[in-house]
Amino acid sequence: MTEMRTLKVALLGCGNVGAQVARILIEDADALAARTGARLQLSGIAVRNVNAPRDVELPQELFTTDAETLVKDADLVIELMGGIEPARTLILSALRNGACVVTGNKALLAQDGPTLYEEADKAHVQLSYEAAVAGAIPILRPIRDSLSGDRITRVLGIVNGTTNYILDQMDSTGAQFADALAEAQRLGYAEADPTADIEGHDAAAKAAILASLSFHTRFALENVHCEGITSVSAADIAAAKDAGFVIKLLAIAEKLANADGGEGVSVRVHPTLLPREHPLAAVRGAFNAVFIEAENAGELMFYGQGAGGTPTASAVLGDLVSAARRLVLGGPGRTETTTGHVPALPIDAAVTSYYIGLDVADQPGVLARIAQLFAEHGVSIEIMRQTIHRDAESKVESAELRIVTHRASEAALAATVEAVKGLDVINSVTSVLRVEGV
Amino acid sequence: MTEMRTLKVALLGCGNVGAQVARILIEDADALAARTGARLQLSGIAVRNVNAPRDVELPQELFTTDAETLVKDADLVIELMGGIEPARTLILSALRNGACVVTGNKALLAQDGPTLYEEADKAHVQLSYEAAVAGAIPILRPIRDSLSGDRITRVLGIVNGTTNYILDQMDSTGAQFADALAEAQRLGYAEADPTADIEGHDAAAKAAILASLSFHTRFALENVHCEGITSVSAADIAAAKDAGFVIKLLAIAEKLANADGGEGVSVRVHPTLLPREHPLAAVRGAFNAVFIEAENAGELMFYGQGAGGTPTASAVLGDLVSAARRLVLGGPGRTETTTGHVPALPIDAAVTSYYIGLDVADQPGVLARIAQLFAEHGVSIEIMRQTIHRDAESKVESAELRIVTHRASEAALAATVEAVKGLDVINSVTSVLRVEGV
């Protein structure tokens, strides 16, 4: 057997994912070497506290608090610390030293990706981040490489397992949001401070990354309209269910006509009604999936585990082996192409269908007046359904009106809802939710 | 703008897929150049008859019958002629000339892949064939690259749209196989000579390719056990449905313990019962999907259009752009790694659950005798269900027994079925089908 080259791998961070990456690098060293053509030697693990307890037993001598020195001596750097600093400085330093970098840091990529990409381009090294979106699911490489000869028109993703678990629980048990969240926290699907998940911030960072790769244009977090799931009620879920829909928190990036006649991309995260027969509707529990529409390929879906130490470690190692093979075989690295330069559209420009729930007075002509008002605002109604609730003496207690519109712009819808609120026959607008996949 | 390099692209074959590839190369030339960093110039299209009618209008001057000359002058060669010769000779000639080759020729890859891979390795050029398996779905690249740091344990694929369409029709309408086939032919989902699809040969070639990439070992068509769907009856489908299953033609590659205590890979294609809640069960019509189980990533599924000119062209162009980027940036090509050397197992070594339908005599003790016989052969029964059919006077017409076993080897099952046939209380064995996903 010929002598194999050794590549030094520096690991920054040893949490949930990092510990599994270290374990696999050690346990599967021979298999990884066979596939790479070089030995991947874990040269050290930078942590804040070398004595902190770990998920996995690892050789104590690997741990160090001196991340900078570790990075300087590495051929490949895996950054799994999370957060902006010191991750950003360490990644930039690694790239400048000519090391390939693998990261799962979606917050950093969404906030300051362009700086990192430029540094990687300059140094002709590879910056990969498959683990940053949808955990174990290979999604960034297929978008970047497999679909590089196609035109993606729309991406719909369930990219946050915590919120999918909560919404799925609400859907299957009828639980209220607060109870489903508490259950998710008890089972470890939600963190003690669940803000980043339930407010949609985590999904928004992933939406920015998906949009950037899909449309060959750099989109930042500030281009993403973001609504979380905290206001989704058990009543919303029940009404959606009744109408044949399921509510999912979707990260959406789609190409739309811009107001100036050109094209733009709407990037947004919000609770969305999906018909139960849509492939994404079947994504249960904490699973993730990304649904892609492309001009030539048509509809594609990628499904798998979106989080968890071991699954996410699989994505990190896929990037690591690919980068290492590149080092072994020679040739420069490649990050992403940004040749599209399509503008990000404001949320007002988004075009979608809407589900509107109204508590209305039971008077003759109410439906006609509401329908008329929608028509005046250019919003076409697809389905209108009235349910009358009566008490024991058959007296009307309340009347509920559920409307699903055809595709309309956010602006037109907002104006319609505003006008509806002004009608004297409306007691309240109980819900306004967007609908996809119809 | 800096002067861009031009890469010459030779297209061999102009059928369904080839015509769309040519169209996209011409129509999307600017976008492809922006993503590649080089202009992809279609230098010619080799066909048997330059005047044959085409799906797409293309410049007549591109057509030639002289494939050899076309190949000699190309930087990139796309082979979409199908069949073994002259495709094989032209691909080898292209690789020897230092051209990257993109092909969708699953039959050639399954039969003589190793020769092609070796030639590509020797010439340090790229041989890509994403279009050969599951049309538009990015599946080979994710297996080869994204999962390169993981260990795949099992692959289950719906990789033939024709048979999935036929089985889906039988499942949803209760049609017999012959009627569903005729309908598929009428709608263009099945060819006039449907043998390659319905006998499983097409799926078997794809199974060999999937197994080779997943287990880093070269498997040929002769290593694949292959059963088609011609013997699947409406009664089988109805019985499966009744028991909560759907019948799919699956391409399966899985790692199993070998008889010698080592590991081996079972590669097979056969009709398979899947629980209706399995993600693959929801793959309807002519769609394809590949379900992967990996040690770290867990369960992954890739779903999309498995055939059709335009979707398959998307996969061809993804490979083409990736190969062209490599040429632009420098660096050698890479095909696959074959460092595993796990043996292919014979079908007898496959371990799975079975569904067995029996027409039995209505006598006391029949169930006990059959259960006893299964136990003697080491095949454990999970579910046993008897249905008695009576005529108008409540007289027993027939008794039907349906059995689902726990996982057992093909060999044990075959011996059990043979012994069951010998029982005097058995009128006939109505079906023996394998079950996955339970």
Side-chain angles (χ1 to χ4, degrees):
Chain A
M1 200 170 155
T2 56
E3 191 68 27
M4 245 191 204
R5 181 174 165 191
T6 294
L7 296 172
K8 287 192 181 175
V9 180
L11 176 60
L12 312 180
C14 195
N16 202 7
V17 182
Q20 295 298 334
V21 167
R23 176 186 64 78
I24 298 167
L25 277 172
I26 294 168
E27 281 181 12
D28 283 357
D30 290 345
L32 294 171
R35 292 185 210 159
T36 308
R39 295 205 72 84
L40 300 174
Q41 186 210 325
L42 181 56
S43 56
I45 309 174
V47 291
R48 262 176 302 193
N49 174 2
V50 298
N51 296 313
R54 313 282 166 205
D55 292 354
V56 176
E57 204 169 317
L58 295 166
Q60 188 60 34
E61 67 271 21
L62 286 175
F63 291 97
T64 172
T65 54
D66 185 0
E68 277 176 56
T69 305
L70 190 62
V71 161
K72 279 207 183 90
D73 192 36
D75 300 297
L76 298 147
V77 173
I78 304 173
E79 185 277 307
L80 295 169
M81 318 169 88
I84 304 302
E85 285 296 351
R88 186 178 169 282
T89 302
L90 288 166
I91 290 178
L92 287 173
S93 151
L95 294 170
R96 284 189 197 115
N97 289 342
C100 291
V101 172
V102 177
T103 175
N105 196 328
K106 54 205 158 273
L108 176 58
L109 287 162
Q111 185 181 306
D112 205 17
T115 309
L116 306 185
Y117 306 142
E118 274 156 33
E119 200 59 50
D121 279 348
K122 232 189 283 175
H124 296 292
V125 294
Q126 210 157 346
L127 170 69
S128 341
Y129 43 91
E130 185 65 76
V133 181
I137 310 174
I139 180 64
L140 302 188
R141 192 184 309 270
I143 289 177
R144 199 191 59 190
D145 293 336
S146 308
L147 290 166
S148 58
D150 207 332
R151 287 172 198 268
I152 292 173
T153 50
R154 198 145 79 123
V155 178
L156 302 178
I158 295 172
V159 292
N160 181 275
T162 304
T163 49
N164 200 57
Y165 178 84
I166 292 171
L167 291 171
D168 190 29
Q169 278 294 107
M170 291 174 74
D171 185 75
S172 57
T173 69
Q176 285 290 354
F177 170 75
D179 298 329
L181 170 59
E183 173 75 358
Q185 285 173 317
R186 200 180 62 77
L187 294 170
Y189 288 128
E191 292 179 40
D193 176 1
T195 313
D197 293 319
I198 64 177
E199 296 293 355
H201 304 153
D202 171 78
K206 293 165 179 171
I209 295 170
L210 285 170
S212 299
L213 286 171
S214 301
F215 299 104
H216 310 282
T217 301
R218 284 171 187 154
F219 297 101
L221 204 47
E222 69 206 40
N223 300 129
V224 186
H225 171 83
C226 177
E227 295 171 34
I229 64 164
T230 53
S231 65
V232 176
S233 66
D236 285 335
I237 302 258
K241 201 169 186 172
D242 194 45
F245 292 99
V246 61
I247 299 184
K248 296 288 187 191
L249 183 70
L250 294 189
I252 301 174
E254 64 179 334
K255 207 178 259 186
L256 293 170
N258 201 344
D260 64 10
E263 279 181 330
V265 174
S266 169
V267 193
R268 53 191 203 269
V269 169
H270 52 66
T272 314
L273 270 70
L274 281 173
R276 295 220 163 233
E277 56 276 14
H278 192 282
L280 283 176
V283 178
R284 307 290 305 271
F287 273 83
N288 278 199
V290 180
F291 188 82
I292 293 182
E293 294 171 29
E295 271 183 20
N296 299 317
E299 297 181 348
L300 299 168
M301 192 172 80
F302 302 77
Y303 165 94
Q305 293 192 58
T310 313
T312 309
S314 171
V316 170
L317 283 153
D319 276 349
L320 188 77
V321 169
S322 295
R325 281 175 176 167
R326 190 65 59 86
L327 287 179
V328 170
L329 294 168
R334 240 184 20 67
T335 56
E336 24 85 277
T337 60
T338 51
T339 56
H341 310 303
V342 277
L345 299 178
I347 186 67
D348 270 5
V351 174
T352 179
S353 298
Y354 299 87
Y355 169 88
I356 299 145
L358 300 171
D359 180 356
V360 299
D362 176 44
Q363 293 177 8
V366 168
L367 264 65
R369 282 182 64 192
I370 294 171
Q372 171 66 23
L373 194 147
F374 271 71
E376 283 166 16
H377 285 81
V379 177
S380 166
I381 292 176
E382 189 184 358
I383 303 168
M384 197 169 195
R385 183 168 161 195
Q386 190 173 213
T387 312
I388 311 280
H389 302 279
R390 293 176 191 276
D391 64 13
E393 281 95 47
S394 287
K395 270 182 62 187
V396 172
E397 282 188 328
S398 65
E400 198 183 353
L401 197 59
R402 295 178 192 164
I403 295 167
V404 177
T405 74
H406 285 117
R407 282 168 75 82
S409 76
E410 285 275 336
L413 195 273
T416 311
V417 170
E418 215 37 59
V420 165
K421 281 182 182 163
L423 287 179
D424 54 3
V425 293
I426 298 290
N427 298 327
S428 66
V429 177
T430 52
S431 53
V432 179
L433 289 161
R434 299 176 188 89
V435 183
E436 293 288 346
V438 286
Chain B
M1 199 171 156
T2 55
E3 192 68 26
M4 245 190 202
R5 180 174 165 190
T6 293
L7 296 172
K8 285 190 181 176
V9 180
L11 176 60
L12 312 181
C14 195
N16 202 7
V17 181
Q20 294 299 334
V21 168
R23 175 187 65 78
I24 298 166
L25 277 172
I26 294 168
E27 281 181 12
D28 283 355
D30 290 344
L32 294 171
R35 291 185 210 160
T36 309
R39 294 207 72 83
L40 299 174
Q41 186 209 326
L42 181 57
S43 57
I45 309 174
V47 290
R48 262 177 301 196
N49 174 3
V50 298
N51 295 313
R54 312 281 165 206
D55 292 353
V56 176
E57 205 169 316
L58 295 166
Q60 188 60 36
E61 66 272 20
L62 286 175
F63 290 97
T64 173
T65 54
D66 185 0
E68 279 175 55
T69 304
L70 190 62
V71 161
K72 280 208 182 89
D73 193 36
D75 300 296
L76 298 146
V77 173
I78 303 173
E79 185 277 307
L80 295 168
M81 317 167 89
I84 304 302
E85 285 297 351
R88 187 179 168 281
T89 302
L90 288 165
I91 290 178
L92 287 173
S93 150
L95 294 171
R96 283 189 197 116
N97 289 341
C100 291
V101 173
V102 177
T103 175
N105 196 328
K106 54 204 156 272
L108 176 57
L109 288 162
Q111 185 180 305
D112 205 17
T115 310
L116 306 184
Y117 305 143
E118 276 156 32
E119 200 59 50
D121 279 348
K122 231 188 286 175
H124 295 292
V125 294
Q126 209 157 347
L127 170 69
S128 344
Y129 43 91
E130 185 66 76
V133 180
I137 310 174
I139 180 64
L140 302 188
R141 192 185 308 271
I143 289 177
R144 199 191 58 190
D145 293 336
S146 308
L147 290 166
S148 58
D150 207 332
R151 289 173 197 265
I152 292 174
T153 50
R154 198 145 80 121
V155 179
L156 302 178
I158 295 173
V159 292
N160 180 274
T162 304
T163 48
N164 201 57
Y165 178 84
I166 292 171
L167 291 172
D168 189 30
Q169 278 294 107
M170 291 173 73
D171 185 76
S172 57
T173 69
Q176 285 291 354
F177 171 75
D179 298 329
L181 170 60
E183 175 75 359
Q185 286 173 316
R186 200 180 62 76
L187 293 170
Y189 289 126
E191 292 179 40
D193 176 359
T195 313
D197 292 319
I198 63 177
E199 296 294 355
H201 304 154
D202 172 78
K206 293 166 179 170
I209 295 170
L210 285 172
S212 299
L213 287 172
S214 300
F215 298 105
H216 309 283
T217 302
R218 283 168 189 157
F219 297 102
L221 205 46
E222 70 207 39
N223 300 128
V224 186
H225 172 84
C226 176
E227 295 172 33
I229 64 164
T230 54
S231 65
V232 176
S233 67
D236 284 336
I237 302 259
K241 201 169 185 171
D242 195 43
F245 292 99
V246 60
I247 300 184
K248 297 287 187 191
L249 182 70
L250 294 190
I252 300 174
E254 63 178 334
K255 206 179 262 186
L256 293 171
N258 202 345
D260 64 8
E263 280 182 329
V265 174
S266 169
V267 194
R268 53 192 204 268
V269 169
H270 53 66
T272 314
L273 270 70
L274 281 173
R276 293 217 165 235
E277 56 275 16
H278 192 281
L280 284 175
V283 177
R284 308 290 306 271
F287 272 83
N288 278 199
V290 179
F291 188 82
I292 294 181
E293 293 169 28
E295 271 183 21
N296 298 319
E299 297 181 347
L300 298 169
M301 191 172 82
F302 302 77
Y303 165 94
Q305 294 192 58
T310 312
T312 309
S314 171
V316 170
L317 283 153
D319 276 349
L320 189 76
V321 169
S322 295
R325 281 176 177 166
R326 191 66 58 89
L327 288 179
V328 170
L329 294 169
R334 242 185 18 71
T335 55
E336 25 84 275
T337 59
T338 51
T339 55
H341 310 302
V342 277
L345 299 178
I347 186 66
D348 270 4
V351 175
T352 178
S353 298
Y354 298 87
Y355 169 88
I356 300 144
L358 300 171
D359 181 353
V360 299
D362 176 43
Q363 293 177 9
V366 167
L367 263 64
R369 282 183 63 192
I370 293 172
Q372 171 65 22
L373 194 146
F374 271 70
E376 283 165 16
H377 286 81
V379 177
S380 165
I381 292 176
E382 188 182 359
I383 303 168
M384 197 168 195
R385 184 169 161 192
Q386 189 173 213
T387 313
I388 312 280
H389 301 280
R390 296 176 189 277
D391 64 13
E393 281 96 47
S394 288
K395 270 184 57 186
V396 172
E397 281 188 329
S398 65
E400 199 182 350
L401 196 60
R402 295 178 193 165
I403 295 168
V404 177
T405 74
H406 284 117
R407 282 168 77 83
S409 75
E410 284 275 336
L413 196 273
T416 311
V417 170
E418 215 37 58
V420 165
K421 281 181 184 162
L423 287 180
D424 54 2
V425 294
I426 299 289
N427 298 327
S428 67
V429 177
T430 52
S431 52
V432 179
L433 289 161
R434 298 177 188 88
V435 182
E436 293 288 347
V438 285

